[in-house]
Amino acid sequence: MKFQPDSLAGTNVLTRIEPGQVWVGGTRFGHSVVVPWQGEVQRWAPAAFDDLLPAHFDALAGCGAAVVIFGSGVRLRFPPPATLRALIEAGIGVETMDTAAACRTYNVLAAEGRRVVAALLLAPVAGGPP
């Protein structure tokens, strides 16, 4: 699925998603990622929903975001509240949706100038990119 982004100088925009892959601007990623509204895209350790640990979200609590959009993979799955505790205690909003919906929502919020971070699970596809 290809997205048509609004261009904002210095803002990361998710431009495309396919099974196991996402593009931020013109850069393709074949692994789970954390996409801040500004700054460098980072590899995110969990490859699948069942790999999620509280530490994965703890690391996002200090990122300066007002909201974290969690993309749970190809289908919507909610992590246990204890997994999100650090974000909740930091007063950071958390929304969970499937990864494609998370990409679309992230783009809308980033285009509005919101301090948003997308934490996206991208399960590797057999024979796909690393």
Side-chain angles (χ1 to χ4, degrees), residues 100-124:
C103 290
R104 294 187 299 271
T105 301
Y106 166 89
N107 279 345
V108 169
L109 295 175
E112 292 175 351
R114 303 274 302 271
R115 293 177 299 129
V116 60
V117 168
L120 307 173
L121 289 179
L122 293 171

Side-chain angles (χ1 to χ4, degrees), residues 40-68:
E40 189 176 337
V41 176
Q42 300 289 321
R43 176 183 282 269
W44 201 33
F49 187 85
D50 292 334
D51 297 338
L52 288 173
L53 299 171
H56 296 127
F57 291 98
D58 293 354
L60 302 176
C63 68
V67 64
V68 171

Side-chain angles (χ1 to χ4, degrees), residues 3-66:
F3 300 117
Q4 298 299 323
D6 292 328
S7 178
L8 294 174
T11 301
N12 288 321
V13 178
L14 293 156
T15 55
R16 185 174 176 166
I17 185 169
E18 292 182 6
Q21 302 176 75
V22 67
W23 280 255
V24 180
T27 304
R28 178 183 52 79
F29 296 90
H31 50 74
S32 297
V33 292
V34 173
V35 183
W37 72 101
Q38 293 181 328
E40 189 176 337
V41 176
Q42 300 289 321
R43 176 183 282 269
W44 201 33
F49 187 85
D50 292 334
D51 297 338
L52 288 173
L53 299 171
H56 296 127
F57 291 98
D58 293 354
L60 302 176
C63 68

Side-chain angles (χ1 to χ4, degrees), residues 66-95:
V67 64
V68 171
I69 306 296
F70 168 55
S72 62
V74 295
R75 66 183 178 100
L76 175 62
R77 295 179 70 184
F78 292 94
T83 305
L84 305 173
R85 183 172 315 280
L87 295 174
I88 295 166
E89 289 177 354
I92 298 171
V94 182
E95 295 293 333

